[in-house]
């Protein structure tokens, strides 16, 4: 199975990179993992709604260029479905049992995800109604994917 994580923006802080590297190493034993960073657009604080839509559209186009037609696409979005760790494990297992061999998780930029991308997504997943820094969300997502795989394999880790 292949899992891709597409993220808007680059990680700059060493501590986030260290956490990403650790979970990437752990996941590498079970799946082919790919993390794709697409450039973010400059988004000054005082933008109109129309300007925000332009930023999201540009970022969305970059995201869409990295998604193959046969990939099952999961948008991380506040309006998505909240799942427990066990439910995420079940979701991953059922998705692969349906013949899906490539799952793409997408973390948008600071303004969220474009309408074009959201129309492409197969599933909306929410980790909380709270807003998290995008860097932290990468770590949380990788940890939960790792936990899901361990749950599905009945291996110790999940408590």
């Amino acid at each position: 199975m292949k899992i891709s994580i597409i993220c808007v923006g680059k990680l700059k802080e060493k501590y986030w990179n260290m956490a990403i590297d650790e979970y990437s190493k752990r996941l590498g034993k079970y799946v082919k993992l790919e993390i794709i960073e697409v450039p973010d657009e400059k988004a000054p604080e005082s933008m109109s709604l129309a300007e925000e839509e332009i930023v999201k559209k540009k970022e969305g186009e970059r995201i869409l260029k990295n998604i193959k037609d046969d990939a099952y696409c999961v948008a991380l979005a506040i309006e998505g479905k909240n799942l427990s760790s066990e439910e995420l494990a079940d979701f991953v297992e059922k998705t692969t049992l349906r013949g899906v061999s490539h799952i793409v998780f997408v973390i948008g930029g600071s303004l969220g995800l474009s309408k074009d991308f959201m129309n492409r997504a197969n599933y909306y997943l929410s980790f909380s109604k709270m807003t998290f820094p995008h860097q932290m969300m990468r770590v949380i997502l990788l940890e939960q994917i790792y936990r899901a795989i361990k749950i599905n394999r009945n291996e110790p880790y999940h408590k």
Side-chain angles (χ1 to χ4, degrees):
M1 167 189 253
K2 181 177 180 181
I3 292 181
S4 298
I5 299 174
I6 300 176
C7 317
V8 174
K10 286 201 170 285
L11 282 184
K12 296 174 185 89
E13 295 87 354
K14 183 179 178 182
Y15 52 91
W16 293 127
N17 281 310
M18 289 171 57
I20 298 290
D21 290 345
E22 176 62 27
Y23 283 107
S24 296
K25 183 176 82 174
R26 291 182 187 193
L27 279 165
K29 297 174 186 173
Y30 304 103
V31 299
K32 182 177 180 202
L33 178 67
E34 170 186 47
I35 299 176
I36 300 167
E37 293 180 333
V38 300
D40 56 348
E41 285 290 309
K42 298 240 185 281
E45 293 286 324
S46 59
M47 290 194 320
S48 68
L49 289 175
E51 290 170 320
E52 287 182 6
E53 288 303 316
I54 291 169
V55 167
K56 290 195 297 187
K57 185 169 180 56
K58 287 179 181 178
E59 291 174 349
E61 289 168 355
R62 293 180 189 135
I63 291 167
L64 288 167
K65 284 181 186 174
N66 286 283
I67 300 173
K68 294 192 172 41
D69 290 340
D70 63 341
Y72 188 88
C73 196
V74 178
L76 271 61
I78 203 162
E79 66 271 22
K81 180 136 170 82
N82 280 305
L83 302 176
S84 67
S85 295
E86 295 85 358
E87 289 170 329
L88 179 62
D90 189 54
F91 169 79
V92 169
E93 185 173 46
K94 285 180 177 172
T95 301
T96 56
L97 288 174
R98 288 194 330 261
V100 172
S101 61
H102 186 193
I103 301 175
V104 178
F105 292 90
V106 178
I107 302 170
S110 61
L111 299 175
L113 293 161
S114 71
K115 291 176 187 165
D116 290 339
F117 168 74
M118 293 301 277
N119 289 335
R120 164 58 178 95
N122 301 95
Y123 191 84
Y124 298 175
L125 176 65
S126 174
F127 279 80
S128 172
K129 290 187 184 218
M130 295 179 198
T131 302
F132 294 103
H134 298 97
Q135 303 90 328
M136 184 182 294
M137 199 61 241
R138 285 192 211 186
V139 176
I140 293 169
L141 175 61
L142 283 168
E143 192 281 333
Q144 284 298 301
I145 293 169
Y146 177 68
R147 184 178 297 273
I149 289 169
K150 296 295 263 183
I151 289 169
N152 287 339
R153 294 175 63 91
N154 293 315
E155 294 179 2
Y157 176 74
H158 176 67
K159 295 182 182 177

